[in-house]
Amino acid sequence: MIALVTGASQGIGAAIALRLAKEGYTVAVHSSNRQESRQKAEQIAQQCRELGAEAACFAADVSDYAQCDALIKDVKAAYGRLDVLVNNAGITRDNLLLRMSEEQYDAVIASNQKSVYMLMKLAGSIMLRQKSGRIINMASVAGLYGNMGQCNYSASKGAVIAMTKTAAKELGARGITVNAIAPGFIETPMTDSMTDQQKEAILSRITLGRAGTPEDVAA
Ligand code: NAP
């Protein structure tokens, strides 16, 4: 079984890649084109291999249609099929609504939302021919409830939830399931930039009294 995990060089995506490797999947470890991320992805792929799984790295900017197309073609060329797509890559560009630039808004929509449409479409066509597949999209509680300073991010994640429901309706009868996960506060490089005050405010609302871990989400 072949699984492609986007944004798997660190954080939640890396934990998902490692968990899938542990479960016996062959893992396509995707990263952005940044050199540092490519190197980190190589380390995650190596850790997957140490768990006994086959793994290789694939770099692409998932906000770009041509690169998404090449990514899915490359994975298909390497393994002949695609069983699981985890749309995990995502960014934040936080700012209050009245200060948010068009650039900040568009960047988040392209990386978090449009990427999910493009990769579901491209992978979905392979899965349709296979008559089987699993697509898992990473949403967020911000897409359900909104979050201060995240007009762009909450819009993108709300859209991911809506797209997931639509794709599930379109593809379910063909043996393909489409689901979304909406994590709360998870400790990763994405949340490292939050201030202690922001973290404490969130933690005070979590009944477990601790942040989630990437491994919690991977499970
Ligand atoms: P992270 O540590 O920042 O990892 C995200 C990864 O996605 C990075 O490796 C990043 O690569 C990659 N990426 C972003 N945009 C990309 C693009 N256009 N093309 C290719 N790669 C791209 O974040 P995380 O916390 O693990 O989050 C993973 C997912 O969970 C995201 O979708 C996030 O929105 C969601 N989520 C996170 C939390 C949380 O509290 N952490 C909560 C709910 C949902 P570069 O570093 O090279 O840019």
Side-chain angles (χ1 to χ4, degrees):
M1 299 284 264
I2 315 299
L4 166 62
V5 185
T6 68
S9 62
Q10 62 180 29
I12 294 170
I16 292 172
L18 291 168
R19 177 63 187 255
L20 287 165
K22 212 169 158 186
E23 304 285 341
Y25 286 81
T26 292
V27 189
V29 180
H30 162 266
S31 75
S32 73
N33 294 314
R34 289 194 313 119
Q35 193 53 31
E36 188 196 341
S37 295
R38 293 174 84 127
Q39 282 167 356
K40 285 200 271 183
E42 277 300 342
Q43 288 166 13
I44 298 301
Q46 181 54 31
Q47 287 176 43
C48 289
R49 289 190 279 270
E50 283 161 15
L51 289 165
E54 206 178 312
C57 296
F58 299 83
D61 178 351
V62 296
S63 69
D64 180 272
Y65 189 88
Q67 292 191 45
C68 286
D69 190 32
L71 169 66
I72 296 297
K73 283 187 176 137
D74 288 350
V75 173
K76 174 83 165 46
Y79 301 113
R81 55 186 293 120
L82 180 58
D83 300 289
V84 180
L85 166 66
V86 184
N87 276 314
N88 167 80
I91 57 169
T92 52
R93 294 288 182 273
D94 296 356
N95 218 336
L96 294 172
L97 172 62
L98 298 190
R99 291 187 194 150
M100 185 171 287
S101 67
E102 189 179 2
E103 195 183 24
Q104 287 173 319
Y105 187 82
D106 287 346
V108 169
I109 297 299
S111 280
N112 297 10
Q113 175 184 333
K114 195 175 171 200
S115 64
V116 173
Y117 143 70
M118 296 188 290
L119 290 171
M120 285 203 299
K121 174 185 158 90
L122 293 159
S125 119
I126 294 172
M127 290 174 177
L128 267 185
R129 286 196 290 275
Q130 293 171 179
K131 297 191 175 61
S132 70
R134 297 285 177 264
I135 299 175
I136 295 127
N137 297 323
M138 204 55 69
S140 165
V141 290
L144 292 166
Y145 308 117
N147 198 23
M148 289 266 288
Q150 292 197 317
C151 171
N152 49 3
Y153 184 82
S154 55
S156 72
K157 296 301 188 180
V160 165
I161 293 167
M163 273 196 283
T164 299
K165 290 176 181 173
T166 296
K169 286 182 173 152
E170 291 186 12
L171 301 175
R174 318 290 284 272
I176 302 161
T177 61
V178 189
N179 288 278
I181 298 174
F185 175 39
I186 312 297
E187 268 177 357
T188 70
M190 182 178 272
T191 49
D192 274 354
S193 59
M194 290 167 72
T195 63
D196 286 345
Q197 205 182 4
Q198 285 171 319
K199 286 183 186 171
E200 273 161 31
I202 293 174
L203 282 173
S204 69
R205 298 198 299 270
I206 300 175
T207 45
L208 283 181
R210 67 163 178 87
T213 64
E215 290 72 26
D216 289 333
V217 183

